[in-house]
Amino acid sequence: MKNPRWRAAVAAAIQLCALGLLACAGAQLGGREPLPGNGPGGKPMRTATETAVGMPPAAPALVYPVTARVNVSDSYFGTQVEDPYRWLENLDSPQVAQWVAAQNALSQPRLASLPQRAWLKARLTQLWNYERYEVPVKRGGRYFYLHNDGQQNQSVLLVSDGLDAPARVLFDPNTVRQDATVAVSEFTPDVRGDVVAYAVSDGGTDWQVWRFRRVHDGADLPDILRFTKFWGVSWARDGSGVYYSRYPALPDGRGDDSGRPAVYFHELGTAQDHDRLVYEVTDHPTRIPAGRVTDDGHYLIITLFDGYERNGVDLLDLERPGARVQHVFFAWDALYTFIGAHGEELYFRTTKDAPLGRVIAVDAR
């Protein structure tokens, strides 16, 4: 190897190979600067030593409480429907209390550790805590309305004896129980504004319990109506009582919302067990009736509910003892919503031949 020309050629080849390797390495590394990690694509890789000694332990896997399934089913019109979690509906049972406590023990520490939680709480508090009034209802010169000062868990039912008169508290649900989960869900004063029927719901349930309170002294009458939800009450013109829709009762004393309610009349001063049956559906399994008295007390408008696209309407003349129910809208071809009445003329908003709705008048005779 004394030939200098050959020796120069070998040196040049070595340099070219080195440059080629550097170029390849540069292409793999993505440029002149190396990627930060030691794994594929520059991702960091833990060594066995780091995993065993130097790295923090992995977060423990969440273990959710076991939710028992029970063998419960119901038959709906010949179809058997399983309801394995029915036991969770018994909110007062020790089993449900234990299940809720276990769920809270799992979820609350994780929720409390969220870094955004404090900001979210502050912002939601800012958005929610403002004074608010609901639209007042005028009866007999008095004004009834719900009010919340922005700091109360539940709105308070107030009454004033005139537009310029100061309001006073008729019923404050925040004082019923320490956890403030009882709310006024509805209220309906009588025509003269002397008695207000008010419904309370407990813990967010749809079930309502109606009571009747004298306005002048804030005292409750002994009357209580149970097994109701959604449909409200409608006062007789003379203030003697209310029409309402009542669900059947189960043997254990709870309301049965798998059954169909019927319209009853409750006379003030009597027990609910003595309420008079006014109207029930006997020819269809899913239609639900609800009654509303016209402002002049002449008619009971009975709306039949079975979904949100169409309904039926029947009519009962309250001024004719023994009068039979008349069909007003029974084709079930559209929605018919009662607006009000003027004498014998009844007004409805309907979607019949009017997808955006229109107002029609019907002669009750």
Side-chain angles (χ1 to χ4, degrees):
M1 298 188 179
K2 294 182 180 180
N3 188 336
R5 187 176 296 177
W6 182 88
R7 197 179 305 174
V10 170
I14 293 173
Q15 288 178 353
L16 288 172
C17 290
L19 290 172
L21 289 172
L22 287 173
C24 292
Q28 291 176 351
L29 295 175
R32 291 183 299 173
E33 298 296 330
L35 295 177
N38 56 355
K43 296 179 180 178
M45 293 182 65
R46 298 177 185 176
T47 65
T49 301
E50 289 173 329
T51 301
V53 178
M55 300 299 292
L62 293 178
V63 180
Y64 289 90
V66 176
T67 304
R69 293 172 60 92
V70 297
N71 186 23
V72 174
S73 63
D74 295 298
S75 179
Y76 295 101
F77 313 111
T79 301
Q80 203 71 18
V81 179
E82 294 186 357
D83 192 2
Y85 302 113
R86 175 82 58 83
W87 64 276
L88 285 170
E89 298 177 12
N90 187 6
L91 302 182
D92 297 325
S93 72
Q95 293 81 3
V96 172
Q98 293 170 6
W99 183 86
V100 170
Q103 293 285 350
N104 287 338
L106 178 73
S107 62
Q108 288 181 352
R110 293 182 63 83
L111 294 173
S113 67
L114 294 175
Q116 302 87 357
R117 183 178 178 87
W119 181 89
L120 285 171
K121 180 180 179 180
R123 181 58 177 151
L124 289 173
T125 300
Q126 182 185 33
L127 291 173
W128 184 249
N129 284 0
Y130 63 92
E131 188 177 19
R132 49 196 180 272
Y133 297 82
E134 293 199 8
V135 177
V137 176
K138 182 182 179 182
R139 292 291 185 272
R142 292 187 170 111
Y143 294 85
F144 302 81
Y145 58 95
L146 291 173
H147 171 259
N148 193 302
D149 65 9
Q151 302 292 322
Q152 294 166 305
N153 287 294
Q154 308 296 343
S155 294
V156 179
L157 178 59
L158 303 180
V159 62
S160 62
D161 294 326
L163 286 176
D164 299 325
R168 66 181 190 275
V169 175
L170 262 186
F171 177 69
D172 184 356
N174 299 287
T175 63
V176 173
R177 200 166 52 227
Q178 187 173 2
D179 62 4
T181 56
V182 174
V184 177
S185 55
E186 284 189 68
F187 69 92
T188 306
D190 70 355
V191 176
R192 293 184 294 272
D194 293 333
V195 179
V196 59
Y198 68 97
V200 297
S201 63
D202 190 346
T205 179
D206 292 327
W207 288 111
Q208 299 171 323
V209 177
W210 286 87
R211 291 181 170 85
F212 300 83
R213 179 160 291 197
R214 288 197 303 261
V215 176
H216 75 276
D217 62 0
D220 275 342
L221 303 178
D223 306 67
I224 298 178
L225 301 182
R226 303 183 186 277
F227 315 126
T228 72
K229 59 167 71 178
F230 305 135
W231 314 112
V233 301
S234 186
W235 282 93
R237 181 70 179 179
D238 60 4
S240 59
V242 295
Y243 296 86
Y244 71 103
S245 295
R246 187 177 84 195
Y247 285 85
L250 294 169
D252 62 4
R254 294 181 299 130
D256 181 11
D257 55 4
S258 66
R260 183 174 53 238
V263 178
Y264 289 83
F265 179 75
H266 174 74
E267 183 179 354
L268 290 183
T270 65
Q272 186 179 15
D273 292 344
H274 298 156
D275 289 352
R276 173 170 55 90
L277 176 64
V278 176
Y279 181 97
E280 64 178 334
V281 177
T282 59
D283 58 353
H284 196 279
T286 59
R287 293 174 181 173
I288 298 175
R292 177 180 166 186
V293 180
T294 57
D295 288 343
D296 59 5
H298 191 164
Y299 296 104
L300 180 68
I301 309 296
I302 302 168
T303 300
L304 300 171
F305 176 84
D306 194 8
Y308 297 93
E309 295 182 356
R310 56 187 60 86
N311 68 297
V313 177
D314 285 348
L315 181 72
L316 181 62
D317 190 337
L318 299 177
E319 294 184 351
R320 290 172 49 210
R324 292 178 175 271
V325 171
Q326 306 174 48
H327 297 307
V328 179
F329 300 109
F330 52 90
W332 289 82
D333 54 358
L335 282 175
Y336 299 91
T337 303
F338 178 65
I339 299 174
H342 180 70
E344 305 292 339
E345 203 166 53
L346 310 178
Y347 302 102
F348 294 86
R349 181 186 183 275
T350 182
T351 56
K352 174 65 175 175
D353 300 326
L356 299 181
R358 61 174 178 158
V359 176
I360 61 174
V362 177
D363 192 327
R365 294 167 295 188

